[in-house]
Amino acid sequence: MLLSVNIQEAGYSRQFPTLKNLRFSVSPGELVGLIGPNGAGKSTTVKSIMGIIHHFKGDIDVNEYAYIPERPIFYAQLTLWEHIDFLFSTLATTDETAFFQKAHELLDLFNLSAAAHSYPERFSKGMQQKMMLVLAFLKQAKLYLVDEPFMGLDPKAVKKLLLKLEEEKEAGAGILMSTHVLDTAEKICDRFILISGGKLIVQGTLNDIRKLSHLKNGSLLDCFDALTEDY
Amino acid sequence: MTGYRLFVRRLVQEWFVQWNILRSIIDGWILLYFIIPAVVFIPVIYHELWQHVDRFWSPQLTLTFLLYLMLFFCSSGHIRTYLFEADQVFLLQKAHFLHQLKRYALVYSLLHKLFVTTILFAAALPILFRTFGFQENSMACLFIIFFAYQMIILFLKKYIRRPLFQKILVSILIVVFNIFIVQSSPPIYGSVGGCIAAFMLGLMLIQTHSTNFFTRELEIERSERAKFTGFIMNFSIDTERTTPFRNRKPILFFKKSKRLFKVRSRENGLLELMLKVFFRDASLFKSYSQLMLLTSVAIFIVPFWVKWLLFALFLFFMRFWLNVAFKKIIDHNFFYVVPFNQEIGGEVWVRFKKWIIVPSIAWITTILLIQLLLKLII
């Protein structure tokens, strides 16, 4: 197991916890979609796993992970390449040539090579998001925590991201992806965790969700709609 | 709602915000030890300046030098618009409202500039009057040409985004205006100043109709709102920096993202990040340079025994300030994306401190030694 989550309570204050009684896990070679309406607690779940939530009760067992944030986070005063350089200094790997070879490949893949020595603050939103993807994939972690990865990406970049996620999955990585883009999630995720109002509504494969929502051939969106209509 | 009411509402709102920020830093001690003495001593010093101008202004210092100083102090500021990001959604399509808001904001900006210029002239009045023999008419002409200079600066700053180009422009204009004032007579620079001011006002009024510079105007508003808090934020670990970072690429050092340290290690990696962020952060580097320059100037002026006390104070304050800067850089959210080993933080802090403090100590010590040598020679 790469990730095992048992949240009894979590949130920004003790009085009003955002999440209650949430249990799930992510295994190697599995892409799990964390879905739910706005304010359901998806980002709070990811933050709880990262250990940066103010109020938390429960147990999290997590391997070393790569994190792709919802909004790009970077130093305005460092170039894209300097961020990559810093990443290398934090990793256990000593194979410098292989790491930077991979960095060049990823920059090429996401069309960022020409911007390698520029400050990311002047990039477009999409380019900044691509930078986050490059940093995450360079880490080559066993587990990926991906928070709304499609925001700001053009269709080509989305396709490349999906291919990369597939590659990592096949290489044995586990991926937890929080997203609103249900049609894409339906195509790529092996399992889903549907949360609403901070509680687990259902978890399982698309078929499990269809059964629970009584929509035999329903799409993930139809099932989502049926299961969250009270929220 | 009219543009005028919207302007007044936003202006009052900003005054409240600024006042609350001011109140948050002014406690009883600051009031007792800084503000009350300043209120008491400034009128006394000003009276003394009128009585004995030679004590404050050496007769060897020329009018050109005074004009340079005055023009330099007049060069700050922007034309305010009091726009907000949300105006893109609500106000942008209501051209009449937007025009009214910008027109009142322009009038307010110019009145504010007039007020600041008046204070500057009031401060320089004893020197202009007593040392350089300016009379009422020539003083009025000088005031007009100064105001014209400021209007040009305000107008062009809207179109020139890069701080470096703005500084070059200000330097050129300061030299040009200084030469013009010194070389011509008051009636000439007064009337030329009047014409320039009228022309610039026309251009500014036309500009209030345009929305082509909406993004730039928002950028100016953001920086102007943050300006007052900038100093406080430099000393606060919990506050995020809001001043936009403008350059596209490194200008001088490490253009191709070259490394500072040849040997790759976790400690060198983190230290390199800290140093690059420190030296490229305009507000941090500016504070660092200002601290060194002010101490250097103070060391030149104060009596000999106070110099050493000042040096000790400088070291104490530099260490305190650097600690705040370090914590601010290391508390960045980027480390959620690329975490570092917390155990190396202590070692990196020690090395970071050495990299920044040693050059400043070397600089101040050199100043002290030069003074000591000069004292021995003379």
Side-chain angles (χ1 to χ4, degrees):
Chain A
M1 204 73 73
L2 292 169
L3 172 69
S4 166
V5 176
N6 175 15
I7 299 173
Q8 288 164 26
E9 257 188 28
Y12 298 91
S13 75
R14 195 177 290 273
Q15 288 81 18
F16 305 104
T18 315
L19 300 173
K20 269 189 173 177
N21 303 323
L22 191 61
R23 269 175 185 231
F24 63 88
S25 60
V26 177
S27 303
E30 187 180 39
L31 203 168
V32 179
L34 182 63
I35 55 174
N38 290 330
K42 300 187 295 293
S43 290
T44 312
T45 307
V46 175
K47 283 177 185 164
S48 299
I49 296 166
M50 293 168 68
I52 55 168
I53 205 79
H54 184 67
H55 169 61
F56 178 82
K57 251 191 193 173
D59 302 299
I60 304 266
D61 188 9
V62 61
N63 267 44
E64 203 188 337
Y65 59 84
Y67 169 55
I68 300 172
E70 185 182 2
R71 285 182 199 147
I73 309 171
F74 50 82
Y75 272 104
Q77 300 87 353
L78 295 182
T79 65
L80 164 56
W81 189 259
E82 284 163 350
H83 283 86
I84 292 173
D85 245 339
F86 175 69
L87 171 67
F88 180 73
S89 77
T90 64
L91 299 178
T93 175
T94 47
D95 193 347
E96 196 176 324
T97 319
F99 177 86
F100 287 105
Q101 172 69 33
K102 192 168 168 58
H104 282 297
E105 282 169 17
L106 282 166
L107 289 179
D108 279 344
L109 179 72
F110 288 106
N111 297 324
L112 287 175
S113 295
H117 302 297
S118 301
Y119 293 126
E121 196 174 66
R122 300 300 297 269
F123 292 177
S124 68
K125 283 270 153 60
M127 283 169 80
Q128 290 175 350
Q129 190 62 14
K130 285 179 190 173
M131 173 185 166
M132 294 293 107
L133 302 179
V134 169
L135 289 173
F137 289 126
L138 263 176
K139 206 171 170 184
Q140 291 193 292
K142 280 278 165 210
L143 176 70
Y144 286 84
L145 298 179
V146 190
D147 198 358
E148 299 288 357
F150 309 117
M151 273 170 73
L153 292 182
D154 60 54
K156 273 190 173 180
V158 170
K159 196 177 171 188
K160 286 171 184 173
L161 166 63
L162 296 178
L163 282 171
K164 279 305 293 177
L165 287 175
E166 191 60 37
E167 255 177 46
E168 294 299 312
K169 204 179 86 168
E170 278 169 14
I175 302 158
L176 178 70
M177 182 175 74
S178 150
T179 186
H180 276 124
V181 188
L182 297 185
D183 50 349
T184 308
E186 184 178 335
K187 284 177 201 156
I188 62 164
C189 292
D190 302 308
R191 276 198 301 127
F192 300 93
I193 297 158
L194 171 58
I195 56 171
S196 196
K199 287 175 193 156
L200 181 72
I201 304 295
V202 60
Q203 65 171 315
T205 60
L206 183 59
N207 280 337
D208 297 333
I209 293 177
R210 278 173 178 156
K211 268 182 208 162
L212 196 84
S213 57
H214 308 293
L215 295 167
K216 203 180 166 189
N217 293 313
S219 66
L220 182 63
L221 176 63
D222 296 331
C223 301
F224 176 90
D225 202 31
L227 290 167
T228 58
E229 61 186 1
D230 295 339
Y231 293 93
Chain B
M1 177 68 77
T2 62
Y4 172 70
R5 287 181 67 183
L6 191 64
F7 163 72
V8 172
R9 185 183 283 185
R10 289 184 177 185
L11 181 67
V12 172
Q13 195 182 22
E14 189 174 308
W15 282 347
F16 269 111
V17 171
Q18 306 288 11
W19 170 242
N20 283 333
I21 293 165
L22 200 65
R23 266 201 335 190
S24 71
I25 55 158
I26 296 179
D27 56 11
W29 292 107
I30 292 181
L31 201 70
L32 187 67
Y33 288 111
F34 290 98
I35 297 175
I36 295 173
V39 170
V40 173
F41 284 110
I42 287 172
V44 176
I45 293 168
Y46 191 62
H47 181 256
E48 190 74 3
L49 182 64
W50 272 105
Q51 298 299 313
H52 310 283
V53 73
D54 292 353
R55 285 185 194 167
F56 296 86
W57 188 263
S58 164
Q60 284 148 357
L61 295 173
T62 58
L63 174 65
T64 308
F65 180 69
L66 177 67
L67 291 176
Y68 272 130
L69 281 181
M70 288 175 71
L71 285 165
F72 175 76
F73 283 115
C74 280
S75 306
S76 60
H78 286 100
I79 299 172
R80 299 291 305 269
T81 51
Y82 290 88
L83 290 171
F84 284 100
E85 300 271 8
D87 291 335
Q88 289 175 83
V89 183
F90 301 108
L91 210 65
L92 202 56
Q93 290 170 60
K94 298 188 187 271
H96 181 61
F97 262 32
L98 198 67
H99 168 57
Q100 273 186 332
L101 172 70
K102 284 170 73 176
R103 204 175 50 194
Y104 284 110
L106 169 67
V107 173
Y108 175 75
S109 304
L110 295 179
L111 287 175
H112 181 262
K113 261 287 163 207
L114 267 176
F115 176 70
V116 174
T117 316
T118 310
I119 290 181
L120 181 77
F121 265 71
L125 204 59
I127 307 166
L128 287 168
F129 195 71
R130 293 274 157 94
T131 310
F132 299 112
F134 272 74
Q135 296 302 313
E136 287 84 352
N137 289 345
S138 46
M139 204 81 81
C141 293
L142 191 67
F143 190 90
I144 292 168
I145 189 78
F146 258 71
F147 193 60
Y149 162 78
Q150 286 174 82
M151 287 181 86
I152 295 178
I153 296 280
L154 289 177
F155 184 76
L156 291 178
K157 269 188 180 174
K158 195 164 199 164
Y159 299 94
I160 301 169
R161 287 184 72 208
R162 297 191 69 164
L164 179 70
F165 293 159
Q166 283 185 4
K167 284 185 182 98
I168 294 170
L169 170 88
V170 167
S171 310
I172 294 170
L173 282 175
I174 285 180
V175 173
V176 170
F177 271 76
N178 204 332
I179 293 170
F180 177 61
I181 294 168
V182 173
Q183 297 296 322
S184 58
S185 61
I188 293 175
Y189 60 69
S191 28
V192 170
C195 293
I196 294 173
F199 179 66
M200 294 316 296
L201 182 66
L203 286 180
M204 286 173 178
L205 284 170
I206 292 168
Q207 216 286 320
T208 57
H209 289 277
S210 165
T211 52
N212 292 353
F213 284 84
F214 193 82
T215 319
R216 172 74 182 132
E217 284 163 350
L218 284 179
E219 194 181 293
I220 291 172
E221 283 305 297
R222 271 197 298 270
S223 73
E224 284 291 310
R225 283 185 197 117
K227 200 166 78 174
F228 189 63
T229 54
F231 179 77
I232 303 162
M233 281 157 72
N234 268 345
F235 292 90
S236 166
I237 307 159
D238 302 321
T239 327
E240 283 287 320
R241 188 176 66 90
T242 53
T243 319
F245 187 76
R246 292 187 181 87
N247 297 328
R248 201 168 65 83
K249 284 183 170 191
I251 299 173
L252 286 175
F253 300 109
F254 313 111
K255 277 185 179 179
K256 292 280 174 196
S257 316
K258 275 195 175 168
R259 298 205 316 273
L260 270 171
F261 305 107
K262 271 191 176 176
V263 179
R264 286 190 189 273
S265 68
R266 292 178 309 172
E267 293 80 2
N268 283 354
L270 184 60
L271 180 62
E272 176 155 343
L273 177 144
M274 301 299 293
L275 289 172
K276 281 183 173 171
V277 170
F278 181 86
F279 284 110
R280 286 175 185 164
D281 187 308
S283 69
L284 285 176
F285 189 66
K286 199 171 152 191
S287 304
Y288 178 63
S289 325
Q290 277 174 345
L291 199 60
M292 285 211 293
L293 278 173
L294 284 175
T295 312
S296 311
V297 173
I299 278 177
F300 254 108
I301 297 166
V302 296
F304 194 70
W305 66 273
V306 187
K307 290 183 201 302
W308 299 102
L309 182 70
L310 207 66
F311 185 53
L313 269 174
F314 167 76
L315 284 181
F316 170 78
F317 188 74
M318 180 61 99
R319 196 195 170 282
F320 163 76
W321 176 77
L322 213 56
N323 193 17
V324 173
F326 183 85
K327 282 184 180 160
K328 210 170 161 183
I329 300 173
I330 216 160
D331 280 347
H332 197 281
N333 285 346
F334 175 66
F335 294 118
Y336 293 137
V337 179
V338 184
F340 68 93
N341 187 337
Q342 296 291 324
E343 285 170 13
I344 65 169
E347 189 196 323
V348 172
W349 158 238
V350 173
R351 288 176 62 193
F352 175 77
K353 205 166 52 177
K354 276 185 196 161
W355 270 80
I356 312 286
I357 287 188
V358 170
S360 67
I361 292 176
W363 169 263
I364 302 290
T365 313
T366 314
I367 301 273
L368 271 168
L369 288 174
I370 290 171
Q371 273 225 291
L372 199 69
L373 275 173
L374 283 175
K375 202 178 161 114
L376 286 171
I377 295 164
I378 298 164

